[in-house]
Amino acid sequence: MNKFEFKNLVKSLEKSLKERTFFKTLRTEVNTGANGTQDYVVKKGINKDKIATTRQ
């Protein structure tokens, strides 16, 4: 490995480390049901006024 290859390797490692820390700080936790999307109520049919689930 010559001097230039080593420099490129170091640069790429520094860049990937910087990207990883950048994305780690931008990631935020999501609140489930924060905007009322967790419990949908059926409005028509035989299951009227029941909470709809996605379980099968």
Side-chain angles (χ1 to χ4, degrees):
M1 181 180 285
N2 62 22
K3 189 165 118 179
F4 297 110
E5 289 176 344
F6 184 72
K7 277 186 174 182
N8 287 336
L9 178 67
V10 170
K11 275 186 182 181
S12 66
L13 289 174
E14 285 177 347
K15 184 177 179 182
S16 67
L17 180 65
K18 189 175 182 180
E19 284 178 355
R20 274 191 254 138
T21 56
F22 181 68
F23 286 120
K24 191 181 268 188
T25 57
L26 284 180
R27 193 179 312 146
T28 58
E29 192 172 320
V30 177
N31 296 327
T32 57
N35 295 322
T37 57
Q38 190 173 12
D39 298 324
Y40 289 108
V41 177
V42 178
K43 297 191 179 196
K44 294 181 182 178
I46 58 173
N47 292 323
K48 184 178 178 182
D49 296 328
K50 290 188 179 179
I51 297 174
T53 61
T54 56
R55 292 185 216 121
Q56 293 181 358

Short mmCIF file of all heavy atoms in Angstrom, two decimals:
data_model
loop_
_atom_site.label_atom_id
_atom_site.label_comp_id
_atom_site.label_asym_id
_atom_site.label_seq_id
_atom_site.Cartn_x
_atom_site.Cartn_y
_atom_site.Cartn_z
N MET A 1 0.85 -1.16 0.00
CA MET A 1 0.00 0.00 0.00
C MET A 1 0.90 1.24 0.00
O MET A 1 1.75 1.38 0.88
CB MET A 1 -0.89 -0.01 1.24
CG MET A 1 -1.83 1.15 1.31
SD MET A 1 -2.88 1.15 2.77
CE MET A 1 -4.04 -0.11 2.38
N ASN A 2 0.69 2.08 -0.96
CA ASN A 2 1.53 3.27 -1.02
C ASN A 2 0.90 4.42 -0.24
O ASN A 2 -0.18 4.30 0.33
CB ASN A 2 1.85 3.67 -2.47
CG ASN A 2 0.60 4.03 -3.24
OD1 ASN A 2 -0.41 4.37 -2.66
ND2 ASN A 2 0.68 3.94 -4.55
N LYS A 3 1.57 5.53 -0.24
CA LYS A 3 1.18 6.68 0.56
C LYS A 3 -0.17 7.25 0.11
O LYS A 3 -1.02 7.60 0.95
CB LYS A 3 2.27 7.74 0.42
CG LYS A 3 2.16 8.90 1.32
CD LYS A 3 3.49 9.66 1.33
CE LYS A 3 3.36 11.05 0.82
NZ LYS A 3 4.61 11.79 0.86
N PHE A 4 -0.44 7.29 -1.18
CA PHE A 4 -1.68 7.86 -1.70
C PHE A 4 -2.88 6.97 -1.40
O PHE A 4 -3.95 7.46 -1.08
CB PHE A 4 -1.55 8.12 -3.20
CG PHE A 4 -0.48 9.12 -3.52
CD1 PHE A 4 0.69 8.72 -4.16
CD2 PHE A 4 -0.63 10.46 -3.19
CE1 PHE A 4 1.68 9.64 -4.46
CE2 PHE A 4 0.36 11.38 -3.48
CZ PHE A 4 1.52 10.97 -4.11
N GLU A 5 -2.69 5.67 -1.52
CA GLU A 5 -3.77 4.75 -1.18
C GLU A 5 -4.13 4.87 0.29
O GLU A 5 -5.30 4.82 0.66
CB GLU A 5 -3.37 3.31 -1.51
CG GLU A 5 -3.31 3.01 -2.98
CD GLU A 5 -2.81 1.61 -3.25
OE1 GLU A 5 -2.24 0.98 -2.33
OE2 GLU A 5 -2.99 1.15 -4.38
N PHE A 6 -3.13 5.01 1.13
CA PHE A 6 -3.37 5.15 2.55
C PHE A 6 -4.14 6.43 2.86
O PHE A 6 -5.07 6.43 3.67
CB PHE A 6 -2.04 5.12 3.32
CG PHE A 6 -2.22 5.17 4.80
CD1 PHE A 6 -2.70 4.07 5.49
CD2 PHE A 6 -1.90 6.31 5.51
CE1 PHE A 6 -2.86 4.10 6.86
CE2 PHE A 6 -2.06 6.36 6.88
CZ PHE A 6 -2.54 5.25 7.56
N LYS A 7 -3.76 7.53 2.19
CA LYS A 7 -4.48 8.80 2.38
C LYS A 7 -5.94 8.67 1.97
O LYS A 7 -6.84 9.15 2.66
CB LYS A 7 -3.82 9.92 1.57
CG LYS A 7 -2.64 10.54 2.23
CD LYS A 7 -2.17 11.73 1.40
CE LYS A 7 -1.07 12.48 2.09
NZ LYS A 7 -0.63 13.66 1.33
N ASN A 8 -6.20 8.02 0.83
CA ASN A 8 -7.57 7.83 0.37
C ASN A 8 -8.36 6.96 1.33
O ASN A 8 -9.54 7.20 1.58
CB ASN A 8 -7.59 7.23 -1.03
CG ASN A 8 -7.19 8.22 -2.09
OD1 ASN A 8 -7.32 9.42 -1.89
ND2 ASN A 8 -6.67 7.71 -3.19
N LEU A 9 -7.73 5.95 1.87
CA LEU A 9 -8.39 5.08 2.84
C LEU A 9 -8.77 5.86 4.10
O LEU A 9 -9.89 5.75 4.59
CB LEU A 9 -7.48 3.91 3.20
CG LEU A 9 -8.00 2.93 4.24
CD1 LEU A 9 -9.21 2.19 3.69
CD2 LEU A 9 -6.92 1.97 4.66
N VAL A 10 -7.87 6.66 4.58
CA VAL A 10 -8.13 7.47 5.78
C VAL A 10 -9.26 8.47 5.51
O VAL A 10 -10.16 8.64 6.34
CB VAL A 10 -6.84 8.19 6.24
CG1 VAL A 10 -7.14 9.21 7.32
CG2 VAL A 10 -5.84 7.18 6.75
N LYS A 11 -9.24 9.10 4.34
CA LYS A 11 -10.29 10.06 3.99
C LYS A 11 -11.66 9.39 3.94
O LYS A 11 -12.65 9.91 4.44
CB LYS A 11 -10.00 10.70 2.64
CG LYS A 11 -9.11 11.89 2.69
CD LYS A 11 -9.01 12.53 1.32
CE LYS A 11 -8.08 13.70 1.33
NZ LYS A 11 -8.00 14.34 0.01
N SER A 12 -11.73 8.22 3.32
CA SER A 12 -13.01 7.53 3.20
C SER A 12 -13.51 7.07 4.57
O SER A 12 -14.71 7.13 4.85
CB SER A 12 -12.90 6.36 2.25
OG SER A 12 -12.05 5.37 2.78
N LEU A 13 -12.61 6.63 5.43
CA LEU A 13 -13.03 6.23 6.78
C LEU A 13 -13.52 7.41 7.59
O LEU A 13 -14.52 7.31 8.31
CB LEU A 13 -11.87 5.54 7.51
CG LEU A 13 -11.50 4.15 7.01
CD1 LEU A 13 -10.25 3.66 7.73
CD2 LEU A 13 -12.64 3.18 7.19
N GLU A 14 -12.86 8.54 7.46
CA GLU A 14 -13.30 9.75 8.17
C GLU A 14 -14.67 10.20 7.66
O GLU A 14 -15.53 10.59 8.44
CB GLU A 14 -12.28 10.88 7.99
CG GLU A 14 -11.03 10.72 8.80
CD GLU A 14 -10.01 11.81 8.53
OE1 GLU A 14 -10.17 12.56 7.54
OE2 GLU A 14 -9.06 11.91 9.32
N LYS A 15 -14.87 10.12 6.35
CA LYS A 15 -16.14 10.54 5.77
C LYS A 15 -17.28 9.63 6.23
O LYS A 15 -18.35 10.11 6.61
CB LYS A 15 -16.05 10.51 4.24
CG LYS A 15 -17.29 11.03 3.56
CD LYS A 15 -17.12 11.03 2.06
CE LYS A 15 -18.38 11.54 1.40
NZ LYS A 15 -18.29 11.52 -0.05
N SER A 16 -17.05 8.32 6.25
CA SER A 16 -18.10 7.41 6.67
C SER A 16 -18.41 7.58 8.16
O SER A 16 -19.57 7.51 8.57
CB SER A 16 -17.71 5.96 6.37
OG SER A 16 -16.62 5.56 7.17
N LEU A 17 -17.40 7.84 8.97
CA LEU A 17 -17.63 8.09 10.39
C LEU A 17 -18.44 9.36 10.60
O LEU A 17 -19.37 9.40 11.41
CB LEU A 17 -16.29 8.18 11.12
CG LEU A 17 -16.36 8.45 12.61
CD1 LEU A 17 -17.03 7.26 13.31
CD2 LEU A 17 -14.99 8.68 13.18
N LYS A 18 -18.12 10.38 9.84
CA LYS A 18 -18.84 11.65 9.93
C LYS A 18 -20.30 11.47 9.52
O LYS A 18 -21.21 11.99 10.16
CB LYS A 18 -18.16 12.68 9.04
CG LYS A 18 -18.68 14.08 9.20
CD LYS A 18 -17.86 15.06 8.37
CE LYS A 18 -18.32 16.47 8.56
NZ LYS A 18 -17.53 17.41 7.77
N GLU A 19 -20.54 10.71 8.44
CA GLU A 19 -21.91 10.46 7.99
C GLU A 19 -22.70 9.69 9.04
O GLU A 19 -23.85 9.99 9.31
CB GLU A 19 -21.90 9.67 6.68
CG GLU A 19 -21.54 10.49 5.48
CD GLU A 19 -21.49 9.66 4.22
OE1 GLU A 19 -21.65 8.42 4.29
OE2 GLU A 19 -21.30 10.25 3.14
N ARG A 20 -22.08 8.67 9.63
CA ARG A 20 -22.77 7.88 10.65
C ARG A 20 -23.16 8.72 11.84
O ARG A 20 -24.27 8.61 12.35
CB ARG A 20 -21.90 6.70 11.09
CG ARG A 20 -22.07 5.51 10.20
CD ARG A 20 -21.41 4.29 10.81
NE ARG A 20 -20.18 4.05 10.05
CZ ARG A 20 -19.02 3.72 10.57
NH1 ARG A 20 -18.90 3.54 11.85
NH2 ARG A 20 -17.97 3.55 9.82
N THR A 21 -22.26 9.57 12.32
CA THR A 21 -22.59 10.41 13.47
C THR A 21 -23.65 11.43 13.09
O THR A 21 -24.52 11.77 13.90
CB THR A 21 -21.35 11.12 14.02
OG1 THR A 21 -20.74 11.87 12.98
CG2 THR A 21 -20.37 10.14 14.59
N PHE A 22 -23.61 11.92 11.86
CA PHE A 22 -24.61 12.89 11.39
C PHE A 22 -26.00 12.27 11.39
O PHE A 22 -26.95 12.85 11.91
CB PHE A 22 -24.22 13.36 9.99
CG PHE A 22 -25.16 14.37 9.40
CD1 PHE A 22 -25.24 15.64 9.93
CD2 PHE A 22 -25.95 14.05 8.32
CE1 PHE A 22 -26.09 16.57 9.38
CE2 PHE A 22 -26.80 14.96 7.77
CZ PHE A 22 -26.87 16.24 8.30
N PHE A 23 -26.14 11.06 10.84
CA PHE A 23 -27.44 10.42 10.79
C PHE A 23 -27.91 9.99 12.17
O PHE A 23 -29.10 9.96 12.46
CB PHE A 23 -27.43 9.22 9.85
CG PHE A 23 -27.41 9.63 8.40
CD1 PHE A 23 -26.38 9.25 7.58
CD2 PHE A 23 -28.43 10.39 7.87
CE1 PHE A 23 -26.36 9.63 6.25
CE2 PHE A 23 -28.42 10.78 6.54
CZ PHE A 23 -27.37 10.39 5.73
N LYS A 24 -26.97 9.66 13.04
CA LYS A 24 -27.34 9.25 14.39
C LYS A 24 -27.96 10.42 15.15
O LYS A 24 -28.92 10.26 15.90
CB LYS A 24 -26.11 8.73 15.13
CG LYS A 24 -26.43 8.04 16.43
CD LYS A 24 -25.17 7.57 17.11
CE LYS A 24 -24.84 6.16 16.73
NZ LYS A 24 -23.74 5.59 17.51
N THR A 25 -27.44 11.63 14.96
CA THR A 25 -27.96 12.79 15.67
C THR A 25 -29.29 13.25 15.06
O THR A 25 -30.11 13.84 15.77
CB THR A 25 -26.97 13.96 15.65
OG1 THR A 25 -26.65 14.28 14.30
CG2 THR A 25 -25.71 13.61 16.40
N LEU A 26 -29.52 13.00 13.78
CA LEU A 26 -30.76 13.44 13.15
C LEU A 26 -31.93 12.52 13.45
O LEU A 26 -33.08 12.94 13.34
CB LEU A 26 -30.59 13.52 11.63
CG LEU A 26 -29.81 14.71 11.11
CD1 LEU A 26 -29.74 14.64 9.60
CD2 LEU A 26 -30.47 16.00 11.53
N ARG A 27 -31.67 11.30 13.81
CA ARG A 27 -32.74 10.33 14.05
C ARG A 27 -33.52 10.71 15.30
O ARG A 27 -32.97 10.95 16.36
CB ARG A 27 -32.13 8.95 14.21
CG ARG A 27 -33.14 7.84 14.14
CD ARG A 27 -32.50 6.49 14.28
NE ARG A 27 -31.34 6.34 13.42
CZ ARG A 27 -30.28 5.63 13.73
NH1 ARG A 27 -30.20 5.03 14.88
NH2 ARG A 27 -29.28 5.52 12.89
N THR A 28 -34.85 10.78 15.18
CA THR A 28 -35.69 11.10 16.33
C THR A 28 -36.71 9.99 16.55
O THR A 28 -37.08 9.27 15.61
CB THR A 28 -36.45 12.42 16.11
OG1 THR A 28 -37.22 12.32 14.92
CG2 THR A 28 -35.49 13.59 16.00
N GLU A 29 -37.16 9.88 17.76
CA GLU A 29 -38.13 8.86 18.10
C GLU A 29 -39.52 9.29 17.65
O GLU A 29 -39.87 10.47 17.71
CB GLU A 29 -38.12 8.65 19.62
CG GLU A 29 -38.85 7.43 20.07
CD GLU A 29 -38.66 7.18 21.55
OE1 GLU A 29 -37.54 7.36 22.03
OE2 GLU A 29 -39.65 6.81 22.20
N VAL A 30 -40.33 8.33 17.24
CA VAL A 30 -41.67 8.61 16.75
C VAL A 30 -42.68 8.25 17.83
O VAL A 30 -42.59 7.20 18.45
CB VAL A 30 -41.95 7.78 15.47
CG1 VAL A 30 -43.37 8.00 14.99
CG2 VAL A 30 -40.96 8.13 14.40
N ASN A 31 -43.65 9.16 18.04
CA ASN A 31 -44.71 8.89 19.00
C ASN A 31 -45.87 8.22 18.27
O ASN A 31 -46.47 8.81 17.38
CB ASN A 31 -45.20 10.19 19.65
CG ASN A 31 -44.12 10.84 20.46
OD1 ASN A 31 -43.29 10.16 21.05
ND2 ASN A 31 -44.11 12.15 20.49
N THR A 32 -46.19 6.98 18.65
CA THR A 32 -47.29 6.28 17.99
C THR A 32 -48.60 6.86 18.46
O THR A 32 -48.79 7.10 19.65
CB THR A 32 -47.25 4.78 18.29
OG1 THR A 32 -47.30 4.59 19.70
CG2 THR A 32 -46.01 4.14 17.72
N GLY A 33 -49.50 7.10 17.54
CA GLY A 33 -50.81 7.63 17.87
C GLY A 33 -50.79 9.11 18.20
O GLY A 33 -51.75 9.62 18.75
N ALA A 34 -49.74 9.80 17.87
CA ALA A 34 -49.62 11.21 18.23
C ALA A 34 -50.62 12.08 17.48
O ALA A 34 -51.13 13.06 18.03
CB ALA A 34 -48.21 11.71 17.96
N ASN A 35 -50.93 11.73 16.26
CA ASN A 35 -51.86 12.53 15.45
C ASN A 35 -53.21 11.85 15.29
O ASN A 35 -53.94 12.13 14.35
CB ASN A 35 -51.25 12.82 14.08
CG ASN A 35 -50.01 13.67 14.19
OD1 ASN A 35 -49.97 14.58 15.02
ND2 ASN A 35 -49.01 13.39 13.40
N GLY A 36 -53.54 10.94 16.17
CA GLY A 36 -54.83 10.28 16.12
C GLY A 36 -54.92 9.18 15.10
O GLY A 36 -56.02 8.79 14.70
N THR A 37 -53.81 8.64 14.64
CA THR A 37 -53.84 7.63 13.59
C THR A 37 -53.81 6.22 14.14
O THR A 37 -53.83 5.26 13.39
CB THR A 37 -52.65 7.81 12.64
OG1 THR A 37 -51.45 7.75 13.41
CG2 THR A 37 -52.73 9.13 11.91
N GLN A 38 -53.77 6.08 15.45
CA GLN A 38 -53.65 4.73 16.01
C GLN A 38 -55.00 4.02 16.06
O GLN A 38 -55.09 2.85 15.75
CB GLN A 38 -53.05 4.81 17.41
CG GLN A 38 -52.68 3.46 17.95
CD GLN A 38 -51.93 3.58 19.26
OE1 GLN A 38 -51.88 4.63 19.86
NE2 GLN A 38 -51.36 2.50 19.70
N ASP A 39 -56.05 4.71 16.43
CA ASP A 39 -57.37 4.08 16.58
C ASP A 39 -58.36 4.68 15.58
O ASP A 39 -58.84 5.79 15.77
CB ASP A 39 -57.90 4.30 18.00
CG ASP A 39 -57.02 3.68 19.05
OD1 ASP A 39 -56.47 2.61 18.77
OD2 ASP A 39 -56.87 4.27 20.14
N TYR A 40 -58.64 3.94 14.53
CA TYR A 40 -59.65 4.35 13.55
C TYR A 40 -60.98 3.73 13.95
O TYR A 40 -61.05 2.58 14.34
CB TYR A 40 -59.29 3.88 12.15
CG TYR A 40 -58.12 4.61 11.55
CD1 TYR A 40 -56.89 4.00 11.40
CD2 TYR A 40 -58.27 5.92 11.12
CE1 TYR A 40 -55.82 4.68 10.85
CE2 TYR A 40 -57.21 6.60 10.55
CZ TYR A 40 -55.99 5.98 10.43
OH TYR A 40 -54.93 6.65 9.87
N VAL A 41 -62.05 4.49 13.80
CA VAL A 41 -63.38 4.01 14.13
C VAL A 41 -64.14 3.78 12.83
O VAL A 41 -64.19 4.64 11.97
CB VAL A 41 -64.12 5.04 15.02
CG1 VAL A 41 -65.54 4.58 15.32
CG2 VAL A 41 -63.36 5.29 16.30
N VAL A 42 -64.76 2.59 12.71
CA VAL A 42 -65.54 2.25 11.53
C VAL A 42 -66.85 3.03 11.60
O VAL A 42 -67.53 3.05 12.63
CB VAL A 42 -65.80 0.73 11.48
CG1 VAL A 42 -66.66 0.38 10.28
CG2 VAL A 42 -64.50 -0.03 11.46
N LYS A 43 -67.24 3.69 10.48
CA LYS A 43 -68.40 4.56 10.49
C LYS A 43 -69.63 3.95 9.84
O LYS A 43 -70.73 4.40 10.09
CB LYS A 43 -68.07 5.88 9.79
CG LYS A 43 -66.98 6.64 10.52
CD LYS A 43 -66.84 8.03 10.00
CE LYS A 43 -65.75 8.71 10.82
NZ LYS A 43 -65.76 10.13 10.69
N LYS A 44 -69.45 2.93 9.00
CA LYS A 44 -70.59 2.32 8.32
C LYS A 44 -70.50 0.81 8.42
O LYS A 44 -69.43 0.25 8.59
CB LYS A 44 -70.61 2.71 6.84
CG LYS A 44 -70.85 4.17 6.57
CD LYS A 44 -70.86 4.43 5.08
CE LYS A 44 -71.06 5.90 4.79
NZ LYS A 44 -71.03 6.18 3.36
N GLY A 45 -71.65 0.16 8.26
CA GLY A 45 -71.66 -1.29 8.20
C GLY A 45 -71.98 -1.94 9.54
O GLY A 45 -72.38 -1.29 10.50
N ILE A 46 -71.79 -3.27 9.59
CA ILE A 46 -72.17 -4.01 10.78
C ILE A 46 -71.21 -3.76 11.94
O ILE A 46 -71.55 -3.98 13.10
CB ILE A 46 -72.26 -5.52 10.49
CG1 ILE A 46 -70.92 -6.05 9.96
CG2 ILE A 46 -73.37 -5.83 9.51
CD1 ILE A 46 -70.89 -7.56 9.82
N ASN A 47 -69.99 -3.29 11.65
CA ASN A 47 -69.01 -3.01 12.69
C ASN A 47 -68.94 -1.53 13.03
O ASN A 47 -67.91 -1.03 13.47
CB ASN A 47 -67.63 -3.50 12.26
CG ASN A 47 -67.57 -5.00 12.18
OD1 ASN A 47 -68.15 -5.69 12.99
ND2 ASN A 47 -66.87 -5.50 11.17
N LYS A 48 -70.06 -0.82 12.86
CA LYS A 48 -70.11 0.61 13.09
C LYS A 48 -69.72 0.92 14.54
O LYS A 48 -70.09 0.21 15.47
CB LYS A 48 -71.52 1.12 12.80
CG LYS A 48 -71.67 2.60 12.93
CD LYS A 48 -73.06 3.06 12.59
CE LYS A 48 -73.14 4.56 12.78
NZ LYS A 48 -74.48 5.05 12.52
N ASP A 49 -68.95 1.98 14.72
CA ASP A 49 -68.49 2.49 16.02
C ASP A 49 -67.53 1.54 16.73
O ASP A 49 -67.33 1.63 17.93
CB ASP A 49 -69.66 2.81 16.94
CG ASP A 49 -70.51 3.94 16.39
OD1 ASP A 49 -69.96 4.83 15.71
OD2 ASP A 49 -71.74 3.94 16.65
N LYS A 50 -66.92 0.61 16.00
CA LYS A 50 -65.88 -0.23 16.57
C LYS A 50 -64.52 0.26 16.10
O LYS A 50 -64.40 0.84 15.02
CB LYS A 50 -66.07 -1.69 16.17
CG LYS A 50 -67.27 -2.34 16.81
CD LYS A 50 -67.28 -3.82 16.53
CE LYS A 50 -68.50 -4.46 17.21
NZ LYS A 50 -68.55 -5.87 16.92
N ILE A 51 -63.51 0.02 16.91
CA ILE A 51 -62.15 0.42 16.55
C ILE A 51 -61.57 -0.59 15.60
O ILE A 51 -61.56 -1.80 15.88
CB ILE A 51 -61.29 0.56 17.82
CG1 ILE A 51 -61.85 1.66 18.71
CG2 ILE A 51 -59.85 0.86 17.44
CD1 ILE A 51 -61.16 1.77 20.05
N ALA A 52 -61.10 -0.11 14.46
CA ALA A 52 -60.51 -1.00 13.44
C ALA A 52 -59.08 -1.35 13.83
O ALA A 52 -58.32 -0.52 14.30
CB ALA A 52 -60.53 -0.30 12.08
N THR A 53 -58.71 -2.61 13.62
CA THR A 53 -57.35 -3.05 13.87
C THR A 53 -56.75 -3.59 12.59
O THR A 53 -57.48 -3.98 11.67
CB THR A 53 -57.31 -4.14 14.95
OG1 THR A 53 -58.06 -5.25 14.50
CG2 THR A 53 -57.88 -3.65 16.26
N THR A 54 -55.45 -3.68 12.56
CA THR A 54 -54.77 -4.22 11.38
C THR A 54 -54.36 -5.67 11.63
O THR A 54 -53.74 -6.28 10.78
CB THR A 54 -53.53 -3.40 11.04
OG1 THR A 54 -52.67 -3.36 12.18
CG2 THR A 54 -53.92 -1.99 10.61
N ARG A 55 -54.67 -6.21 12.77
CA ARG A 55 -54.32 -7.61 13.05
C ARG A 55 -55.19 -8.55 12.23
O ARG A 55 -56.35 -8.28 11.97
CB ARG A 55 -54.53 -7.93 14.54
CG ARG A 55 -53.55 -7.21 15.42
CD ARG A 55 -53.74 -7.64 16.85
NE ARG A 55 -53.51 -6.50 17.68
CZ ARG A 55 -54.39 -5.99 18.53
NH1 ARG A 55 -55.55 -6.54 18.72
NH2 ARG A 55 -54.10 -4.92 19.22
N GLN A 56 -54.62 -9.68 11.86
CA GLN A 56 -55.38 -10.65 11.07
C GLN A 56 -55.47 -11.95 11.78
O GLN A 56 -54.65 -12.38 12.50
CB GLN A 56 -54.72 -10.86 9.72
CG GLN A 56 -54.79 -9.62 8.87
CD GLN A 56 -54.15 -9.86 7.51
OE1 GLN A 56 -53.62 -10.92 7.23
NE2 GLN A 56 -54.18 -8.84 6.68
#
